[in-house]
Amino acid sequence: MLCPCGSEQAYTECCQPFVMASKPVNSPEQLMRSRYSAYASKQAEYIYLTYAKSSQVEQSVEDIAQWAAQTTWLKLIIHYASDHQKNLARNENAQVEFSAFYQHNGQIWQMREISNFVMEDGKWRYLDGDVSDSKLCNKPKRNELCFCGSNKKFKQCCAKNF
Ligand SMILES: [Zn+2]
Ligand SMILES: [Zn+2]
């Protein structure tokens, strides 16, 4: 199985070691990708545990699991990742900007977010995010271009993830 994060690598070689075997991530982008893959494979505990401590108080594994169960994740696009080494040296948060496509209650959504990451106890954690855009996408016919902007036909692109 290909990794849900879109790396074109096998899940076992990409995000699974982080999600299932607690291998530490090397960068905020890796954490972003593995959290997306955890949503896609409905591993709510990993998502909870990779929140920063201050954000965990507003979350519960049950709520995350419920949201994940109702949602089909279709595609992740990473637009930008800050220089996390420099961020660490300056004692500032790291950022990753991404778009995610998902289906929820029968509708396809695109959301774009700038996520903030902090280092806690030597590990990168997800602090919070600013959603800059969230919109509905039309579901294309099988031979029409996919909504994700890949320039591929829908049937050869995100249709595979439904
Ligand atoms: Zn991956
Ligand atoms: Zn697509």
Side-chain angles (χ1 to χ4, degrees), residues 139-146 152-157 159-160:
K139 191 170 182 174
K141 297 201 172 72
R142 291 185 56 73
N143 283 313
E144 289 176 352
L145 287 180
C146 193
K152 291 186 197 164
K153 287 180 180 176
F154 176 53
K155 67 179 179 187
Q156 288 157 351
C157 192
K160 293 175 181 170

PDB file of all heavy atoms in Angstrom, residues 139-146 152-157 159-160:
ATOM      1  N   LYS A 139     -17.545  17.162  -7.095  1.00  0.00           N
ATOM      2  CA  LYS A 139     -17.038  15.841  -7.439  1.00  0.00           C
ATOM      3  C   LYS A 139     -17.075  15.689  -8.955  1.00  0.00           C
ATOM      4  O   LYS A 139     -18.142  15.777  -9.561  1.00  0.00           O
ATOM      5  CB  LYS A 139     -17.895  14.766  -6.768  1.00  0.00           C
ATOM      6  CG  LYS A 139     -17.289  13.383  -6.855  1.00  0.00           C
ATOM      7  CD  LYS A 139     -18.047  12.406  -5.966  1.00  0.00           C
ATOM      8  CE  LYS A 139     -17.410  11.039  -6.027  1.00  0.00           C
ATOM      9  NZ  LYS A 139     -18.032  10.109  -5.064  1.00  0.00           N
ATOM     10  N   PRO A 140     -15.907  15.485  -9.587  1.00  0.00           N
ATOM     11  CA  PRO A 140     -15.913  15.388 -11.051  1.00  0.00           C
ATOM     12  C   PRO A 140     -16.460  14.054 -11.538  1.00  0.00           C
ATOM     13  O   PRO A 140     -16.572  13.112 -10.759  1.00  0.00           O
ATOM     14  CB  PRO A 140     -14.429  15.507 -11.419  1.00  0.00           C
ATOM     15  CG  PRO A 140     -13.673  15.421 -10.157  1.00  0.00           C
ATOM     16  CD  PRO A 140     -14.604  15.310  -9.007  1.00  0.00           C
ATOM     17  N   LYS A 141     -16.786  13.998 -12.834  1.00  0.00           N
ATOM     18  CA  LYS A 141     -17.055  12.698 -13.445  1.00  0.00           C
ATOM     19  C   LYS A 141     -15.722  11.971 -13.621  1.00  0.00           C
ATOM     20  O   LYS A 141     -14.663  12.602 -13.579  1.00  0.00           O
ATOM     21  CB  LYS A 141     -17.746  12.896 -14.795  1.00  0.00           C
ATOM     22  CG  LYS A 141     -19.107  13.578 -14.688  1.00  0.00           C
ATOM     23  CD  LYS A 141     -19.957  13.292 -15.925  1.00  0.00           C
ATOM     24  CE  LYS A 141     -21.375  13.801 -15.745  1.00  0.00           C
ATOM     25  NZ  LYS A 141     -21.448  15.296 -15.800  1.00  0.00           N
ATOM     26  N   ARG A 142     -15.784  10.675 -13.871  1.00  0.00           N
ATOM     27  CA  ARG A 142     -14.559   9.868 -13.837  1.00  0.00           C
ATOM     28  C   ARG A 142     -13.493  10.337 -14.819  1.00  0.00           C
ATOM     29  O   ARG A 142     -12.300  10.248 -14.537  1.00  0.00           O
ATOM     30  CB  ARG A 142     -14.896   8.397 -14.089  1.00  0.00           C
ATOM     31  CG  ARG A 142     -15.668   7.786 -12.923  1.00  0.00           C
ATOM     32  CD  ARG A 142     -15.893   6.310 -13.094  1.00  0.00           C
ATOM     33  NE  ARG A 142     -14.667   5.538 -13.290  1.00  0.00           N
ATOM     34  CZ  ARG A 142     -13.772   5.262 -12.334  1.00  0.00           C
ATOM     35  NH1 ARG A 142     -13.938   5.722 -11.117  1.00  0.00           N
ATOM     36  NH2 ARG A 142     -12.713   4.541 -12.609  1.00  0.00           N
ATOM     37  N   ASN A 143     -13.930  10.856 -15.990  1.00  0.00           N
ATOM     38  CA  ASN A 143     -12.964  11.263 -17.012  1.00  0.00           C
ATOM     39  C   ASN A 143     -12.623  12.753 -16.964  1.00  0.00           C
ATOM     40  O   ASN A 143     -11.832  13.230 -17.768  1.00  0.00           O
ATOM     41  CB  ASN A 143     -13.462  10.874 -18.405  1.00  0.00           C
ATOM     42  CG  ASN A 143     -13.272   9.390 -18.655  1.00  0.00           C
ATOM     43  OD1 ASN A 143     -12.192   8.854 -18.393  1.00  0.00           O
ATOM     44  ND2 ASN A 143     -14.308   8.720 -19.100  1.00  0.00           N
ATOM     45  N   GLU A 144     -13.221  13.462 -16.027  1.00  0.00           N
ATOM     46  CA  GLU A 144     -12.891  14.886 -15.893  1.00  0.00           C
ATOM     47  C   GLU A 144     -11.636  15.056 -15.035  1.00  0.00           C
ATOM     48  O   GLU A 144     -11.222  14.139 -14.321  1.00  0.00           O
ATOM     49  CB  GLU A 144     -14.069  15.618 -15.241  1.00  0.00           C
ATOM     50  CG  GLU A 144     -15.274  15.728 -16.181  1.00  0.00           C
ATOM     51  CD  GLU A 144     -16.495  16.379 -15.525  1.00  0.00           C
ATOM     52  OE1 GLU A 144     -16.466  16.608 -14.289  1.00  0.00           O
ATOM     53  OE2 GLU A 144     -17.465  16.626 -16.249  1.00  0.00           O
ATOM     54  N   LEU A 145     -11.066  16.263 -15.109  1.00  0.00           N
ATOM     55  CA  LEU A 145      -9.870  16.538 -14.329  1.00  0.00           C
ATOM     56  C   LEU A 145     -10.192  16.516 -12.834  1.00  0.00           C
ATOM     57  O   LEU A 145     -11.270  16.921 -12.407  1.00  0.00           O
ATOM     58  CB  LEU A 145      -9.289  17.902 -14.697  1.00  0.00           C
ATOM     59  CG  LEU A 145      -8.591  17.991 -16.060  1.00  0.00           C
ATOM     60  CD1 LEU A 145      -8.074  19.415 -16.279  1.00  0.00           C
ATOM     61  CD2 LEU A 145      -7.435  16.996 -16.166  1.00  0.00           C
ATOM     62  N   CYS A 146      -9.239  16.026 -12.054  1.00  0.00           N
ATOM     63  CA  CYS A 146      -9.437  15.929 -10.609  1.00  0.00           C
ATOM     64  C   CYS A 146      -9.468  17.318  -9.974  1.00  0.00           C
ATOM     65  O   CYS A 146      -8.827  18.249 -10.448  1.00  0.00           O
ATOM     66  CB  CYS A 146      -8.325  15.083 -10.002  1.00  0.00           C
ATOM     67  SG  CYS A 146      -8.693  14.616  -8.304  1.00  0.00           S
ATOM     68  N   LYS A 152      -4.547  15.358 -13.599  1.00  0.00           N
ATOM     69  CA  LYS A 152      -4.876  13.986 -13.996  1.00  0.00           C
ATOM     70  C   LYS A 152      -6.393  13.836 -14.006  1.00  0.00           C
ATOM     71  O   LYS A 152      -7.105  14.598 -13.354  1.00  0.00           O
ATOM     72  CB  LYS A 152      -4.309  12.990 -12.986  1.00  0.00           C
ATOM     73  CG  LYS A 152      -2.805  12.883 -12.990  1.00  0.00           C
ATOM     74  CD  LYS A 152      -2.432  11.755 -12.044  1.00  0.00           C
ATOM     75  CE  LYS A 152      -0.997  11.795 -11.639  1.00  0.00           C
ATOM     76  NZ  LYS A 152      -0.735  10.970 -10.470  1.00  0.00           N
ATOM     77  N   LYS A 153      -6.838  12.806 -14.759  1.00  0.00           N
ATOM     78  CA  LYS A 153      -8.252  12.492 -14.696  1.00  0.00           C
ATOM     79  C   LYS A 153      -8.607  12.024 -13.286  1.00  0.00           C
ATOM     80  O   LYS A 153      -7.812  11.337 -12.632  1.00  0.00           O
ATOM     81  CB  LYS A 153      -8.590  11.398 -15.714  1.00  0.00           C
ATOM     82  CG  LYS A 153      -8.569  11.891 -17.144  1.00  0.00           C
ATOM     83  CD  LYS A 153      -8.914  10.783 -18.105  1.00  0.00           C
ATOM     84  CE  LYS A 153      -8.878  11.331 -19.540  1.00  0.00           C
ATOM     85  NZ  LYS A 153      -9.102  10.281 -20.528  1.00  0.00           N
ATOM     86  N   PHE A 154      -9.843  12.373 -12.897  1.00  0.00           N
ATOM     87  CA  PHE A 154     -10.305  12.020 -11.552  1.00  0.00           C
ATOM     88  C   PHE A 154     -10.127  10.522 -11.274  1.00  0.00           C
ATOM     89  O   PHE A 154      -9.653  10.120 -10.222  1.00  0.00           O
ATOM     90  CB  PHE A 154     -11.775  12.423 -11.409  1.00  0.00           C
ATOM     91  CG  PHE A 154     -12.419  12.046 -10.115  1.00  0.00           C
ATOM     92  CD1 PHE A 154     -11.842  12.396  -8.900  1.00  0.00           C
ATOM     93  CD2 PHE A 154     -13.623  11.353 -10.107  1.00  0.00           C
ATOM     94  CE1 PHE A 154     -12.452  12.054  -7.687  1.00  0.00           C
ATOM     95  CE2 PHE A 154     -14.239  11.010  -8.904  1.00  0.00           C
ATOM     96  CZ  PHE A 154     -13.652  11.353  -7.702  1.00  0.00           C
ATOM     97  N   LYS A 155     -10.478   9.690 -12.281  1.00  0.00           N
ATOM     98  CA  LYS A 155     -10.433   8.237 -12.059  1.00  0.00           C
ATOM     99  C   LYS A 155      -9.001   7.743 -11.828  1.00  0.00           C
ATOM    100  O   LYS A 155      -8.792   6.690 -11.232  1.00  0.00           O
ATOM    101  CB  LYS A 155     -11.078   7.477 -13.227  1.00  0.00           C
ATOM    102  CG  LYS A 155     -10.316   7.587 -14.542  1.00  0.00           C
ATOM    103  CD  LYS A 155     -11.017   6.784 -15.639  1.00  0.00           C
ATOM    104  CE  LYS A 155     -10.251   6.930 -16.961  1.00  0.00           C
ATOM    105  NZ  LYS A 155     -10.972   6.309 -18.082  1.00  0.00           N
ATOM    106  N   GLN A 156      -8.003   8.518 -12.324  1.00  0.00           N
ATOM    107  CA  GLN A 156      -6.616   8.119 -12.150  1.00  0.00           C
ATOM    108  C   GLN A 156      -5.982   8.820 -10.962  1.00  0.00           C
ATOM    109  O   GLN A 156      -4.782   8.699 -10.700  1.00  0.00           O
ATOM    110  CB  GLN A 156      -5.795   8.445 -13.403  1.00  0.00           C
ATOM    111  CG  GLN A 156      -6.128   7.516 -14.555  1.00  0.00           C
ATOM    112  CD  GLN A 156      -5.780   8.116 -15.916  1.00  0.00           C
ATOM    113  OE1 GLN A 156      -5.441   9.281 -16.011  1.00  0.00           O
ATOM    114  NE2 GLN A 156      -5.899   7.306 -16.942  1.00  0.00           N
ATOM    115  N   CYS A 157      -6.776   9.603 -10.234  1.00  0.00           N
ATOM    116  CA  CYS A 157      -6.209  10.414  -9.149  1.00  0.00           C
ATOM    117  C   CYS A 157      -6.983  10.141  -7.860  1.00  0.00           C
ATOM    118  O   CYS A 157      -6.995   9.008  -7.382  1.00  0.00           O
ATOM    119  CB  CYS A 157      -6.230  11.878  -9.576  1.00  0.00           C
ATOM    120  SG  CYS A 157      -5.255  12.936  -8.503  1.00  0.00           S
ATOM    121  N   ALA A 159      -9.955   9.615  -7.047  1.00  0.00           N
ATOM    122  CA  ALA A 159     -11.033   8.618  -7.023  1.00  0.00           C
ATOM    123  C   ALA A 159     -10.568   7.326  -6.368  1.00  0.00           C
ATOM    124  O   ALA A 159     -11.351   6.599  -5.758  1.00  0.00           O
ATOM    125  CB  ALA A 159     -11.515   8.340  -8.445  1.00  0.00           C
ATOM    126  N   LYS A 160      -9.274   7.062  -6.465  1.00  0.00           N
ATOM    127  CA  LYS A 160      -8.713   5.830  -5.880  1.00  0.00           C
ATOM    128  C   LYS A 160      -8.792   5.810  -4.360  1.00  0.00           C
ATOM    129  O   LYS A 160      -8.665   4.763  -3.739  1.00  0.00           O
ATOM    130  CB  LYS A 160      -7.250   5.669  -6.294  1.00  0.00           C
ATOM    131  CG  LYS A 160      -7.054   5.415  -7.770  1.00  0.00           C
ATOM    132  CD  LYS A 160      -5.570   5.394  -8.103  1.00  0.00           C
ATOM    133  CE  LYS A 160      -5.372   5.164  -9.603  1.00  0.00           C
ATOM    134  NZ  LYS A 160      -3.964   5.367  -9.988  1.00  0.00           N
TER     135      LYS A 160
END
